[in-house]
Amino acid sequence: MRIVLDAELCQGHGRCYSLAPDLFDSDDVGHCVLLVDAVPDGREADARSGAENCPEHALTLED
Amino acid sequence: MGMEASTEGAPDLTPQTVTKLASADDPRALSRSLREQPVHKVGDMFHLVTRRSDVEDALRRTAVFSWGAVGMNLGNIRPLIPLQVDPPKHVKYRRILDPLFAPKKMALLEEEVVALVKELVDAFAPKGSCDFHEEFAVPLPCRVFLRLMGLPLEDLDLFLALKDDIIRPPGVTLEEQAPYREKAGRAVYSYFERVLAERKAHPTDDMLAQIMQGEVDGERLTDEEVLDICFLFIIAGLDTVTDSLDCIFAYLAQNPEHRRQLVADEAVIPSAVEELLRWESPVPAVPRATTEDIEIGGCPIKAGQQVMLLLASANTDDADHPGVDEVDLERNPNPHLAFGGGVHRCLGSHLARVELRVAVREFHRHIPEYELAPGTVLEYTTGLRSLHHLPLAFPSAG
């Protein structure tokens, strides 16, 4: 599973990196930075949580 | 906005309907009935957008749904920065301001907020009762703001009076309220003009200093731009956290099973704060103005019309999010729009979250059990969802 970030859509709500800080981080303005490309085994639920909590639909998961 | 507005579709709709999304005992029920139509036209040029997908779409399309064109007068003589500025200029202001309010910066405030919360709670814990609104929800965000900006605590009452005269001035109609807003607006400008002059003579290293050093396209912000940012902070940064605290604690006072859930497990608090922000939507709507002829959900809206995006209604729209008509403190996912969305996503949202999480955690460590004082009838305010008073009773401590 991969995480794909659409940086154009991210508005810095910060939901992803507060829910899964080892998968997502914030840059200096508070926008999302991906810490992983491929989701580590066993972390699918957290990746999904980060993506699904984004109010802007900036994060998607690809199999 | 015409006061004898005619309505289409819903005969009881008036321009004040949107204010009831804040003041209703159960705004969810009002939202549900509003969502039966995607758009309600109220009067000649006022529209309510009710559904989540349409609200999201409008928040994103800033060229068509403009903040700058709304022309809302809050006693300010120039557009408030960055709120009433559209892209591309808006982006440049947010580049300066976003880093100052980024989550990692805000997390550094946690200890100070903890100390402040303890001080406020200690003052009323022995009494066994408090007016939560007056004694906690109002002073907490205002004192945090003064600390952030490096302003003296003695100015607290002045700020509160100015903010109230702008957000909730006496009078009912805009015409009656305008003089209060304008007078308070002049006072805000002159207060910060004086502060800026002092800061130039005696530089500091607080948030205000960082704003004064901000640059757009290699040029320092002008004094006017700094004033227009400060003006916005007063009206956007103080009241909304007060409103959120009132809403959250009124809910928890009346729903002991949920309160006990987060007392028993503090790890629930972050998601509980998100859920109660969604449920209560303290900022129930945000305005935009159309810049071209458009259609929402099959309803044509001409250019130059006022559009209210109903965040409260979007937040309880179950079209794509089943189960949102009840409270689940551990809801996941919960991609709510309580802080708005698109480029105007609330600048202070991460500050608000620190204040709300710390307030909920620390208050309940000291006072885990409380209820509305006997005989209390809660009256929510119009516009922004808040309470004039929130009398709580609890076993006295210490």
Side-chain angles (χ1 to χ4, degrees), chain A residues 8-15 17-19 25-31 45-46 48-58, chain B residues 52 56 60 94-95 98-100 102-104 274 321 331-337 339-345 349-350 353 357:
Chain A
E8 291 288 304
L9 289 179
C10 176
Q11 299 293 349
H13 289 260
R15 302 297 303 285
Y17 50 76
S18 63
L19 287 160
D25 196 5
S26 67
D27 65 12
D28 70 330
V29 299
H31 285 201
D46 283 334
R48 192 168 294 117
S49 175
E52 291 179 347
N53 276 283
C54 177
E56 309 285 348
H57 311 282
Chain B
R52 165 93 193 207
E56 272 185 27
R60 216 171 279 154
R94 287 292 291 243
R95 281 246 165 270
D98 277 329
L100 306 181
K104 286 173 187 170
E274 302 299 330
H321 300 277
R331 181 179 299 284
N332 189 14
N334 181 12
H336 66 79
L337 294 172
F339 291 110
V343 299
H344 290 288
R345 186 267 308 161
S349 60
H350 305 299
R353 284 188 168 110
R357 288 172 187 171

Side-chain angles (χ1 to χ4, degrees), chain B residues 19-38:
Chain B
T19 69
K20 292 196 185 125
L21 277 173
S23 61
D25 286 333
D26 183 7
R28 279 73 53 176
L30 175 58
S31 286
R32 197 178 310 123
S33 70
L34 288 171
R35 277 196 307 276
E36 286 171 18
Q37 283 177 224

Side-chain angles (χ1 to χ4, degrees), chain B residues 41-103:
Chain B
K41 188 175 183 197
V42 184
D44 290 336
M45 56 173 300
F46 197 68
H47 301 75
L48 312 181
V49 178
T50 66
R51 294 179 184 170
R52 165 93 193 207
S53 55
D54 294 325
V55 169
E56 272 185 27
D57 186 59
L59 288 170
R60 216 171 279 154
R61 293 166 64 196
T62 50
V64 182
F65 296 91
S66 160
W67 229 123
V70 171
M72 180 185 282
N73 182 355
L74 293 165
N76 51 312
I77 55 174
R78 292 180 303 270
L80 301 174
I81 296 175
L83 188 65
Q84 295 177 329
V85 182
D86 290 318
K89 191 98 201 236
H90 175 268
V91 180
K92 296 174 178 173
Y93 290 128
R94 287 292 291 243
R95 281 246 165 270
I96 298 170
L97 296 169
D98 277 329
L100 306 181
F101 286 95

Side-chain angles (χ1 to χ4, degrees), chain B residues 2-19:
Chain B
M3 296 310 286
E4 322 69 15
S6 66
T7 60
E8 280 178 13
D12 57 342
L13 274 187
T14 70
Q16 278 72 43
T17 295
V18 69
T19 69

